[in-house]
Amino acid sequence: MNRAQVDLNRLAVMDAAKATRLLHKVREETLAGRTPPVAPRAVIDASWQRMFRLGVNPDQSTSTVLLQRDELEERRRSSVLGEVMRTLSAGLAGIADASMQIMVVTDEQGRVLWREGNLAVLRQANGICLEEGAAWSEHTTGTNAVGTALAMGKAVQVHSAEHYVHTLHNWTCAAAPVHDPRDHRLLGIVDVSGPASSFHPATLALVGSVAQLAEAEMRQRHLRSIERLRSVAAPILCRVGGRAVAVDTHGWTAAVTGMAPVDRLALPKSFRAGRMWLPSLGMCAVEPLPGGWLLRVEEGARPDGDGAGGGAASRVVLDLSRPRRAAVSVSGAAGSWSQELSPRHAELLYLLALHPEGRTAAELAQDVFGDRTRTVTVRAELSRVRRNLAGVLAHRPYRFSEEVEVELRHPAHPADLLPHSTAPAVLAARSATSA
């Protein structure tokens, strides 16, 4: 027989003090392994169980190390959510201000990128480290709307003592994930938080609706940009002999000729005009278009024979010799290409080069963060790396493919090895090299 669960709609009409006592009793009894008067909501109970397995201390502080200002600005610039901040703000910030709450927008790792709303509540939020650059994933701050929405992949409301960490019991929050409508990639979380006295069960529906509105705007922006590119590319493709494709700057296809269309091509970060080799097409002549690129496939540059395996990469050079300018070069029978690497991607490829036998996500999380539980972040980053290194990286475990020769170029001085990195494995490598 199913026991009754906490019902937020009923809590909203109860005496506030009585509702608070009930939630505290439910949490106290559940965490002690006893039967509470009513069961916690399923989403909250599942989160509490995760916190217990992770060893999160319910009495810990929610303070985290904030991102440095330059890293925060870089994350803002690279986040697609920046394009829809006006929509998010128009839909939530004013309502949050009027209801004594704040709007918070995070990236896909739960790092706070933007926040706005009631000034008094913003000041209160500083006391729990709900500020720009702070980490709000479950493993750092326990059960909370941002972190639990990230973990569950759906909208979540967390009220008062439903928070795992005691520090947050005077707060209420509702959050929803925002996905890139082009590929369904998680972009981040939009959240409304405030003092527990500002709780209303309808806040969750509001936040979810605004998140969907932002996704719809991104979808329309994408479709308009593709249509503009198609109108420019169509007359050009009519005059092209052979295979060619027009793509936007992210590789999304606008028009093709002489070949079957695909939704998207993986483009290296260093993509530019000239001759470029792509694993899916081979050698291409690349010409700029307004809002994208024209790729003409050079048929004569393709490998001889049926091409089965002929275009596979055979050599990778990971060049760490220039401080702050890490790069990877890939070459094979069909040609070569190179691209600069972000600091995080340079760390991961360096660690894989050190371990040709491969590393699991947990091992890489330990190498990079000193925390084996941060596997979601590692997998997300490696997924991005593999988009541009098709045929080069294998997984289960993560490693360079056995058919690929890997050359690792170190800097002249050990201290210049990935100088921005604070990854424990990189720090150990610097120490060992300089010893």
Side-chain angles (χ1 to χ4, degrees):
M1 182 175 180
N2 294 328
R3 291 194 302 124
Q5 293 185 352
V6 169
D7 186 332
L8 293 186
N9 290 306
R10 289 189 175 184
L11 286 181
V13 298
M14 289 175 60
D15 175 75
K18 182 178 179 180
T20 298
R21 288 195 299 271
L22 175 62
L23 286 178
H24 278 82
K25 186 66 173 179
V26 169
R27 176 181 178 275
E28 178 184 348
E29 296 298 304
T30 301
L31 297 189
R34 298 187 292 266
T35 302
V38 293
R41 292 186 293 138
V43 65
I44 299 300
D45 187 47
S47 178
W48 286 352
Q49 295 303 319
R50 286 194 298 273
M51 299 308 95
F52 182 77
R53 291 194 297 271
L54 287 172
V56 175
N57 183 356
D59 296 318
Q60 72 179 35
S61 166
T62 54
S63 296
T64 59
V65 177
L66 302 181
L67 295 175
Q68 295 294 321
R69 176 55 57 175
D70 57 347
E71 184 176 356
L72 175 62
E73 292 300 330
E74 174 59 28
R75 292 199 185 202
R76 285 174 170 173
R77 285 192 297 269
S78 62
S79 174
V80 181
L81 292 178
E83 300 175 4
V84 293
M85 272 302 297
R86 182 174 297 180
T87 297
L88 295 174
S89 180
L92 291 176
I95 295 174
D97 188 2
S99 59
M100 295 296 292
Q101 295 181 310
I102 61 174
M103 179 192 76
V104 174
V105 178
T106 80
D107 64 13
E108 73 280 6
Q109 297 177 358
R111 286 282 184 174
V112 178
L113 300 185
W114 296 277
R115 64 173 198 164
E116 52 186 289
N118 186 272
L119 292 178
V121 179
L122 285 170
R123 288 191 291 268
Q124 293 180 48
N126 292 339
I128 58 170
C129 203
L130 185 55
E131 51 189 310
E132 293 169 348
W136 277 80
S137 60
E138 278 193 336
H139 77 269
T140 56
T141 53
T143 302
N144 70 91
V146 169
T148 305
L150 282 173
M152 301 296 292
K154 63 181 183 181
V156 175
Q157 189 164 22
V158 181
H159 177 53
S160 185
E162 290 185 319
H163 290 92
Y164 190 78
V165 176
H166 188 271
T167 304
L168 300 176
H169 285 187
N170 292 327
W171 285 79
T172 188
C173 48
V178 182
H179 295 89
D180 190 324
R182 296 170 295 186
D183 55 10
H184 307 293
R185 177 173 60 91
L186 177 65
L187 298 174
I189 299 291
V190 58
D191 165 87
V192 168
S193 293
S197 58
S198 64
F199 164 72
H200 195 289
T203 305
L204 181 62
L206 173 64
V207 173
S209 296
V210 173
Q212 292 176 4
L213 187 63
E215 292 177 352
E217 180 184 338
M218 287 186 283
R219 184 180 297 107
Q220 290 301 315
R221 283 172 175 259
H222 174 61
L223 292 176
R224 287 195 298 268
S225 67
I226 290 295
E227 285 299 326
R228 287 194 297 269
L229 178 57
R230 182 176 294 118
S231 67
V232 172
I236 298 174
L237 289 175
C238 289
R239 300 190 297 270
V240 171
R243 298 188 300 154
V245 56
V247 298
D248 71 3
T249 55
H250 299 286
W252 292 97
T253 302
V256 301
T257 186
M259 57 189 288
V262 294
D263 290 336
R264 189 181 187 185
L265 294 175
L267 303 180
K269 289 184 178 180
S270 59
F271 200 69
R272 63 188 182 279
R275 298 180 74 240
M276 298 285 289
W277 179 74
L278 296 177
S280 57
L281 295 177
M283 187 62 70
C284 297
V286 181
E287 303 172 25
L289 293 173
W293 303 97
L294 173 65
L295 283 61
R296 304 172 188 256
V297 180
E298 297 185 356
E299 305 292 349
R302 293 180 64 81
D304 295 331
D306 61 10
S314 59
R315 178 176 170 79
V316 173
V317 176
L318 181 59
D319 188 356
L320 307 181
S321 62
R322 298 174 298 169
R324 300 174 177 82
R325 292 288 299 277
V328 62
S329 299
V330 181
S331 57
S336 62
W337 60 272
S338 63
Q339 69 177 69
E340 290 193 7
L341 297 168
S342 69
R344 179 70 74 223
H345 291 174
E347 287 175 340
L348 290 168
L349 291 180
Y350 171 67
L351 293 169
L352 294 182
L354 290 184
H355 299 278
E357 74 284 0
R359 301 292 275 173
T360 66
E363 289 172 333
L364 286 171
Q366 182 66 38
D367 292 338
V368 175
F369 303 109
D371 181 354
R372 292 178 64 87
T373 68
R374 297 189 62 176
T375 55
V376 172
T377 301
V378 167
R379 291 192 181 100
E381 293 293 346
L382 281 169
S383 177
R384 297 187 185 101
V385 174
R386 294 182 72 208
R387 289 175 194 164
N388 294 330
L389 293 177
V392 171
L393 291 180
H395 63 111
R396 296 180 183 175
Y398 293 105
R399 65 195 185 282
F400 283 100
S401 300
E402 295 179 359
E403 299 81 7
V404 175
E405 176 191 356
V406 180
E407 177 185 348
L408 178 58
R409 294 179 181 173
H410 288 84
H413 302 287
D416 290 331
L417 175 64
L418 300 173
H420 284 311
S421 177
T422 58
V426 175
L427 296 177
R430 285 193 206 127
S431 300
T433 306
S434 58

